[in-house]
Amino acid sequence: MSHSAPSEFMRAALDESRAALGHTSPNPAVGAVVVRDGRIVGGGRTQPPGQAHAEVMALLEAGDLARGAEVYVTLEPCSHHGRTPPCTDALIAAGVAAVHYAIEDPDRRVSGAGAAALRAAGIATTEGDGAAEAARVNEAFLKHRRTGLPFVIAKFAASLDGRIAAASGDARWISGEEARDWAHDLRTVVDAIMVGSGTVFADDPSLTARPGGRLARVQPLRVVVDGLGRLPGAAQVFDEDAPTLVATTEASPLAWREMLAARDVEVAVLPAAPDGRHVDLEALLRLLGEHDILSVLVEGGGELLGACFDQRYVDRLYAVIAPVIIGATAAPAAVAGQGAEMMREAPRLRDVTMTQLGEDVLFDGVPVWPDLFDEEIPHTHDDEE
């Protein structure tokens, strides 16, 4: 696979795929362009589930100009009948001369079969252009297809000294307006937002995506982890603005579960963690994967984030650091849990980027655990296909 910068035409296809994020799940966000005589004559991106894929949209725009043209697409074209016909059939029927795809589709129904079908039809087919960038766009889809588990994104806003609230529990606002706007944009491209019951008690958040201050048309699933069944029915996460799933255990009262179910809240009774109080995280993530949830944004609190790090479920971290010092011993930390007893046990971030959001700084990176440092680790956004 090539690790060089994408070609001009694959960059255009990647732009299409990024624009599709948040609208295609559980399908991947794919972009495609049709190129004839050195210019783009058609472009498209995957439509919502049940509608046309990127290649078909690009071919429709190109029309007759697609015959003899080259197609650049960010994922191997599908070759199976799902809710839509195979994209390989559309490419063959259009008479394209070549298809350049960034990465192989790990879905067992496709994985190499799409490229084989194109080559069998006499279409020149190459892989690797823009591979790293395409894998980053679809990192959640790739993990889900390989493991059955959702891609877990940990996210928090903290002070310079790592606190997420003052000693009283007051957390409004650690980060500034630009960071909060960014967070709402992020919510529009994930399938689910997860919090623990402590966060709901402390902040009573709505956990909805509100880019530009307006409720987004498509909302992520709200996942609330409450092993003992303590949350009140009046909490905002149980309103009708977005679907909600509550993960609990047999330790929660049956009447409480029935009350939530009567409000159209999905209640999942899952195995308990060894402490008997908390929900088993692996069971919860497997359930979400079975629900075709490709990505989960874990927004807190520190106890849930700590458990995700302790059990190594975090695939990407977004940390917004605000230029403020809180300092109180009683102030909650961004990440709690068992953590590292020695510095050599602490995970570090790889592929770190830093972005200024007003006065705050966003750190984006991939956690790597110490016992993996010496191994050859494929980058999350640069996976070998």
Side-chain angles (χ1 to χ4, degrees), residues 144 147-150 281-292:
H144 183 267
T147 69
L149 296 174
L281 270 180
E282 181 178 358
L284 174 53
L285 291 174
R286 290 213 171 275
L287 175 70
L288 294 175
E290 291 164 4
H291 275 55
D292 277 339

Side-chain angles (χ1 to χ4, degrees), residues 10-380:
M10 188 59 79
R11 282 200 302 272
L14 286 163
D15 288 343
E16 292 279 1
S17 70
R18 292 187 188 99
L21 273 174
H23 305 287
T24 64
S25 188
N27 294 329
V30 181
V33 295
V34 179
V35 178
R36 187 183 183 100
D37 299 327
R39 67 184 183 92
I40 294 173
V41 295
R45 66 194 69 146
T46 306
Q47 298 301 294
Q51 299 180 44
H53 290 186
E55 299 94 322
V56 172
M57 297 299 294
L59 291 170
L60 284 172
E61 186 171 285
D64 292 341
L65 293 176
R67 187 161 298 279
E70 296 183 81
V71 175
Y72 290 75
V73 59
T74 59
L75 187 70
E76 178 186 7
C78 67
S79 55
H80 66 286
H81 284 269
R83 283 181 281 191
T84 58
C87 290
T88 51
D89 287 2
L91 291 163
I92 294 167
V96 303
V99 173
H100 309 283
Y101 65 93
I103 54 176
E104 184 179 295
D105 188 338
D107 190 307
R108 58 182 175 77
R109 298 169 297 179
V110 181
S111 193
L118 294 173
R119 292 189 181 109
I123 297 173
T125 307
T126 63
E127 176 190 356
D129 183 8
E133 293 80 359
R136 171 64 196 272
V137 173
N138 275 303
E139 58 190 359
F141 171 80
L142 296 176
K143 181 189 177 185
H144 183 267
R145 287 300 186 271
R146 290 170 180 150
T147 69
L149 296 174
F151 190 86
V152 177
I153 305 165
K155 176 245 167 189
F156 59 77
S159 62
L160 279 170
D161 54 340
R163 310 295 187 178
I164 56 173
S168 66
D170 174 38
R172 294 178 185 267
W173 294 102
I174 287 179
S175 58
E177 185 175 350
E178 292 89 343
R180 296 196 296 275
D181 288 344
W182 165 83
H184 278 288
D185 287 339
L186 176 61
R187 288 178 175 182
T188 67
V189 297
V190 297
D191 291 342
I193 303 172
M194 184 190 296
V195 297
S197 58
T199 295
V200 178
F201 274 118
D203 302 332
D204 192 22
S206 63
L207 297 184
T208 52
R210 302 184 301 279
R214 297 180 179 179
L215 203 64
R217 185 180 62 83
V218 178
Q219 289 291 326
L221 174 69
R222 300 179 291 198
V223 180
V224 181
V225 186
D226 185 359
L228 299 180
R230 302 180 302 141
L231 288 175
Q236 288 193 85
V237 290
F238 302 137
D239 63 24
E240 297 178 352
D241 287 342
T244 302
L245 180 148
V246 171
T248 190
T249 70
E250 291 286 0
S252 63
L254 177 59
W256 177 81
R257 290 180 237 154
E258 291 174 341
M259 176 270 293
L260 293 180
R263 298 193 57 181
D264 292 328
V265 173
E266 183 177 356
V267 179
V269 180
L270 297 170
D275 64 9
R277 298 175 57 252
H278 296 94
V279 173
D280 181 272
L281 270 180
E282 181 178 358
L284 174 53
L285 291 174
R286 290 213 171 275
L287 175 70
L288 294 175
E290 291 164 4
H291 275 55
D292 277 339
I293 298 295
L294 305 188
S295 56
V296 179
L297 179 63
V298 183
E299 292 202 351
E303 192 172 302
L304 180 58
L305 284 168
C308 288
F309 275 101
D310 286 345
Q311 297 175 49
R312 302 187 174 191
Y313 288 130
V314 178
D315 297 300
R316 181 169 295 281
L317 171 67
Y318 290 120
V320 174
I321 307 301
V324 60
I325 302 293
I326 294 174
T329 302
V335 179
Q338 181 179 341
E341 188 170 331
M342 304 292 289
M343 280 304 302
R344 64 175 179 269
E345 300 170 356
R348 291 183 180 272
L349 294 187
R350 181 195 65 208
D351 302 337
V352 177
T353 63
M354 292 175 284
T355 306
Q356 196 82 26
L357 297 174
E359 293 185 344
D360 305 321
V361 177
L362 167 66
F363 287 80
D364 169 6
V366 177
V368 179
W369 278 265
D371 55 322
L372 300 179
F373 284 160
D374 297 330
E375 298 181 14
E376 186 65 29
I377 309 166
H379 290 204
T380 300

